[in-house]
Each structure stands twice: as C-alpha cells, then as structure tokens.
Amino acid sequence: MLEEDLDSRLTLPDDGLIRRVKALACTAPLQALEANKGSLGRVRADRYQMVELALHAIDQVAMSMDFENGAAHADVIRQVGRFAASQVPEDKPDDHRAVAEWVLQKLINVGTLDRNFVWKYGRTDEAGNYALYDWPFRLLVEHPVRHTNEVVLRVTDEAINVLVGALDTDVESAQVAAEYKLENLITRGRLADAKLAAEQARYRTVQYGEYLRQYLEATKRDVRTVDWEEEVPKLLDEALGHIESRYRHENAILANITDKRDQTQDPRKKLQAAELVDIVRDCINRHMQLQSKLQGAGALFRSEQDRQQFSGPVGRPALDVYGQVLTPLLGLPVGQAAGPTAGFFRAGVAPAAPVVISIAALTGRLLRPRFDRPLYAGAVPAPDLAERLDDGSFTDEDRLHGDHVLDMGIGECHSLNTVLASARRFGADVERYVLHRAANAFNPAVSEALLRGVPDVLVATSDSVAISSPHVEGDGLLLSRVAIEPGDDWADDQNVVFDEEIGL
C-alpha cells in the first residue's frame, strides 16, 4: 500500500517542487557573475565578490523605486562602484566603475534579444508524462518614465525574492510575519537582527507596491485586461486594510525603537537604533504613498474608461515572428508544428494569381501546338580569359635584400634617403619593399611583437627632409631599431591599445 501511495505521489504534479526550482533559478545569474568574472578583461576581477556586488545593486534599485520613478543607471553604478572600492581599494576608480557597469549589465541581461533569463524546469502532468518547459524571468528591468522621457531601473518580483531570501510567498502574510518578527527582536534588544528584519519588511512593502503599479499600468493600456468588477476592488479593499493595520503597527514599533535608543548608553546600539528608526520611517512613507495611489485608483479607472471608450478601435500590435512564432514552434514536435506553420504562411504570404482565369484561356492553352525542346541547349561559348596581371607582390629575394638593408644596430638612426639609396642597388622592387616597411614602422605593432617574443622592432619618425628618389616622393623619415622589453611603459601602453582592438 505504501509503495502504491508513493508511486502515485511521484506521478502527480508537484507545484512545491516547481516553486523551489524557480527560486533556485533566480540565483543562477548571480552565480554566473561569480563564475564568469574572469572574462571581464583588463580588470583583475577575481578579487571582487560579484554576488555581493549584484545584491548591492538590486538593493539600491529597490530602495529608489516608487510608483512612477526608479533608479538611474549612473546612481546605481556609482553606489556599486563605491562598494567595489571597499572590496579592492588598491584598484583604480576606473576599474571599480568598470566592474560596477559589468555587474549592472549582466543583471539587466544586456546582449540578449528580450533581456530574459531562461531556466528549464520539468513538470509531470496528470497522466504521468514528464516534459520540460522554459521559464523566462528578469531581475532588473529598464522602465521609461513618461513625464521625464528617461529610462530608469526597476526590480522584479524575482529580484526581491532573491534579495530577501524568500521563496514564492504571499506578500501580505510575509509582510505581517516580518513586522511581528521585527517587534519581537526589538523587545529582546537584538537590534542587529532587527535591522535585517526591518529591511526585509521594507522589501516586501516595495513588492506590494509593485503589484499595484502593474494593475494601474495595465488599466492605462487597456481597461479590458483588468477585472475591475471583482478582482481589483477586492484587492484595493484588502490593500487599504493592510496599510491601516501596518501603519498602526509600524508607529508602535517606531515608538519602541525610540525608547530603546534614548535609554541605552551603548554607542553601537544607539547607532543601530537610529538606523532602525530611518528604515521604519521609510516604510511608513511608502505606505502613505500606496494609500494615496489606492484612493485615486477608482478615479483613474473611470477616466481611463472614458478616454479609451472614445479613442477609436484599438490597433492590433505587430506580430513578433521570433518570440511568438519561431521560438514556440521550435519547441514542438514536427507533427504538432506543421499545422501552425502552414497557417502562418497561408495568412502571411500573398496569394498567387492563377494562370488560367477563364474557359477561353483554358481552351487556348489546351489547343496550343506542342513545342519540342532541343535535347541540348547549344554550343557553350569559350570564355575570353585575360592574362594574369602582375599583382605587385614581393619575391623572397626582394624580402631578403630589403631585410638586409634594414638590419641596423640597436639605437642606430638612419634617414630614409640613406636606406633607400642602399636598397636601389638591388633594384626598384627592393626599394619599394623598404619603403613599405618604413611606412609600417611609423606605427609599429609593438604588442604583436611582444606576443611573438621579438627582441626589437623598427621605429620611424617624421623628418623635415623630403625623399630624394626617382621612384617616390613625399616627406622623409628617420629609422631606428629599438629593443623592447615586457616591462617598458611604452610597450604596455601599446599592449593596452592592442587589447582594445581585439576585444579583450
């Protein structure tokens, strides 16, 4: 009997398991930051704790959010850069900023088409069949602000769950539990733990406000997508009751913290109590903002209903061929994907004009005499091939003579006229080869020479004397051969330029 119950339990859908898998998936981008920090480039990112920087960035965005605004990119980069400077103070400020920008871009998932992270999870249906599904999610999103035409950052529900360490919990019950925990810790004098509980309560307040903002934003786009008959009024009533009870509770906590701060003589506890006062006051302010938005939600619905009712028919959005057609079809078997694919092309491709549109045209085509095509297409014309022209490349002998002319000692300096005069003794091609080498020496590839282990490099600088040659004209150069070492500052600067060119 026990084995049968266990088998039946294994074949039923397990929603709890799926929630835990999704919760672990939210931490995958943060772990990827730590695993891939070696790809940052010139900054030695292995000394930074990327998970801590990512959590700090999410924290800064969450604390800067309200109903309309969010966090500016520059402010988040500056705050995360300061935290990076505290981790590795010996690095330059530019390195700290580069690390902060890299962390923020990875949290936004810059470089992908839809900015989504995708995690696969398995689910067993009622028939016992196991299948894999894609779960797209985001941590930080870029949100436009209407009245300022700016793009700000906002956190998602998944990011808040990662930040506070919670797993798919009810917002209001988590808020109540966090505040009762906060009150208990304050009464027992554990202010350090109370600070963490207060921050968690504030994060839950931010998440609750984000839920309400999404309903109001959906109403502004289309009132028909939101249930204003039952669902939203019930939510607004529950939210107002939630704010009322939390407001009384938080004021009582605030009074208790103030007494603890005034009675204690320990400077550290006084500082902790002052930080708690600021956090709880911020929670009260956020609840007041929520209350003002909730009180104006009904008026917003009525105004949007009137506006959208007389604004004409709603325009159909453009079809996202990649996200709405190609990606779902690639995840289906061939038999199931054939029907939607045929329907898409049937509706998306213009109809072809029929060849025969009348009985007279059909009769003419049927009575047309047969035309026998020849078995062969005819004689193939012989192509007129031109002779191969001289491409001007240098022979091995030209290179040997040119390298011999340019083989000067380390530190020696010769004018280009002197070198070209020596090269002309071997012919015009050798002179042209030496001139080509001299032009490349005006901007030598020092980094490439370092990588290949070349001990010296040919360097050229401008000269006021013109070139005296029967074959070429122009300004002269001064040529010299310079030894390079890996520790030279000039070589390091050239190496940096070379790294930027190849994208390291």
Side-chain angles (χ1 to χ4, degrees):
M1 249 342 250
L2 292 176
E3 293 181 357
E4 294 178 358
D5 293 341
L6 181 60
D7 293 339
S8 63
R9 231 178 279 162
L10 291 175
T11 56
L12 291 177
D14 190 352
D15 294 334
L17 177 61
I18 295 175
R19 283 197 301 269
R20 285 182 289 170
V21 170
K22 290 182 178 180
L24 290 175
C26 293
T27 65
L30 277 68
Q31 301 297 333
L33 284 174
E34 190 69 26
N36 300 325
K37 59 185 179 181
S39 62
L40 186 54
R42 289 174 291 157
V43 181
R44 289 184 53 194
D46 56 325
R47 299 168 296 169
Y48 293 89
Q49 299 300 318
M50 295 299 178
V51 174
E52 297 179 6
L53 295 176
L55 290 175
H56 189 69
I58 297 174
D59 189 4
Q60 296 300 319
V61 176
M63 292 304 99
S64 301
M65 282 174 49
D66 56 21
F67 263 87
E68 296 181 356
N69 298 318
H73 291 72
D75 296 338
V76 177
I77 292 174
R78 182 171 59 254
Q79 293 294 335
V80 177
R82 292 178 181 176
F83 191 48
S86 65
Q87 290 185 352
V88 187
E90 60 271 16
D91 276 0
K92 300 178 182 179
D94 292 341
D95 295 339
H96 300 150
R97 179 178 177 84
V99 171
E101 289 179 347
W102 184 75
V103 170
L104 184 60
Q105 290 178 359
K106 292 299 182 182
L107 291 177
I108 303 174
N109 204 12
V110 174
T112 58
L113 183 64
D114 51 6
R115 302 291 175 88
N116 284 334
F117 299 99
V118 180
W119 188 269
K120 290 188 178 294
Y121 69 94
R123 185 180 181 88
T124 305
D125 57 14
E126 299 292 342
N129 299 320
Y130 181 84
L132 290 176
Y133 300 90
D134 290 337
W135 180 59
F137 66 95
R138 298 183 185 181
L139 297 180
L140 296 181
V141 295
E142 294 176 315
H143 182 74
V145 181
R146 295 182 179 179
H147 59 276
T148 60
N149 294 327
E150 295 178 351
V151 178
V152 297
L153 296 173
R154 300 184 68 91
V155 297
T156 61
D157 298 335
E158 294 84 4
I160 295 180
N161 285 333
V162 170
L163 189 63
V164 302
L167 308 179
D168 193 16
T169 55
D170 179 65
V171 175
E172 185 172 359
S173 61
Q175 177 76 17
V176 174
E179 291 184 353
Y180 276 110
K181 178 183 177 181
L182 173 61
E183 183 182 14
N184 183 30
L185 292 173
I186 293 173
T187 305
R188 294 163 58 189
R190 298 175 58 181
L191 297 182
D193 295 334
K195 180 176 180 294
L196 178 60
E199 290 177 345
Q200 292 178 352
R202 182 169 58 176
Y203 297 145
R204 285 301 173 189
T205 303
V206 174
Q207 189 178 21
Y208 201 88
E210 183 66 13
Y211 284 158
L212 296 176
R213 186 194 65 83
Q214 292 175 3
Y215 276 112
L216 297 180
E217 287 291 332
T219 301
K220 292 178 182 179
R221 290 191 296 268
D222 190 356
V223 295
R224 296 174 297 179
T225 60
V226 182
D227 184 8
W228 278 90
E229 185 175 358
E230 295 182 1
E231 182 180 359
V232 177
K234 180 180 178 182
L235 175 65
L236 296 179
D237 293 338
E238 292 178 355
L240 287 172
H242 163 81
I243 291 175
E244 182 181 359
S245 60
R246 297 284 71 73
Y247 186 77
R248 291 196 303 267
H249 197 76
E250 288 167 353
N251 276 281
I253 294 175
L254 184 61
N256 196 347
I257 298 173
T258 306
D259 293 339
K260 290 287 184 182
R261 181 192 60 188
D262 297 338
Q263 293 174 5
T264 184
Q265 300 298 326
D266 188 355
R268 183 177 180 183
K269 289 188 177 181
K270 278 185 176 292
L271 179 60
Q272 292 174 344
E275 293 177 351
L276 280 173
V277 170
D278 293 337
I279 294 175
V280 175
R281 283 178 178 172
D282 183 55
C283 290
I284 295 175
N285 292 333
R286 290 180 181 274
H287 283 314
M288 295 177 64
Q289 293 178 4
L290 277 175
Q291 185 179 11
S292 64
K293 292 293 182 180
L294 290 170
Q295 291 176 345
L300 184 142
F301 164 68
R302 288 188 292 272
S303 63
E304 288 295 327
Q305 187 180 34
D306 294 339
R307 182 184 65 83
Q308 296 178 22
Q309 183 178 3
F310 298 102
S311 61
V314 180
R316 297 184 61 183
L319 178 65
D320 183 7
V321 179
Y322 179 82
Q324 296 178 325
V325 179
L326 180 60
T327 302
L329 288 178
L330 290 178
L332 295 176
V334 177
Q336 298 180 11
T341 304
F344 169 76
F345 283 101
R346 187 181 300 111
V349 179
V355 179
V356 178
I357 58 176
S358 64
I359 296 296
L362 176 61
T363 304
R365 290 179 62 89
L366 293 176
L367 297 178
R368 183 182 302 170
R370 181 180 177 182
F371 176 74
D372 294 331
R373 295 181 179 272
L375 182 61
Y376 301 102
V380 178
D384 186 11
L385 301 178
E387 296 183 359
R388 183 176 181 272
L389 301 178
D390 186 11
D391 57 359
S393 59
F394 303 109
T395 63
D396 293 339
E397 186 178 0
D398 295 339
R399 296 175 185 273
L400 182 62
H401 291 312
D403 293 340
H404 175 71
V405 171
L406 294 173
D407 187 13
M408 59 186 68
I410 303 297
E412 295 182 5
C413 184
H414 299 276
S415 66
L416 182 59
N417 290 329
T418 304
V419 177
L420 291 179
S422 301
R424 276 196 297 271
R425 296 181 302 173
F426 299 100
D429 291 339
V430 178
E431 182 185 11
R432 188 163 52 88
Y433 171 75
V434 171
L435 184 63
H436 176 73
R437 287 282 306 276
N440 289 331
F442 192 76
N443 185 18
V446 181
S447 57
E448 184 179 356
L450 281 171
L451 294 175
R452 292 189 286 113
V454 178
D456 53 66
V457 66
L458 185 66
V459 179
T461 183
S462 61
D463 189 9
S464 59
V465 180
I467 297 177
S468 59
S469 172
H471 303 103
V472 294
E473 295 180 357
D475 295 336
L477 296 174
L478 293 177
L479 301 177
S480 178
R481 189 165 294 277
V482 180
I484 57 175
E485 297 180 0
D488 288 346
D489 294 337
W490 177 70
D492 291 340
D493 293 339
Q494 296 295 328
N495 195 20
V496 168
V497 174
F498 180 71
D499 290 343
E500 292 178 351
E501 291 177 353
I502 64 175
L504 292 178

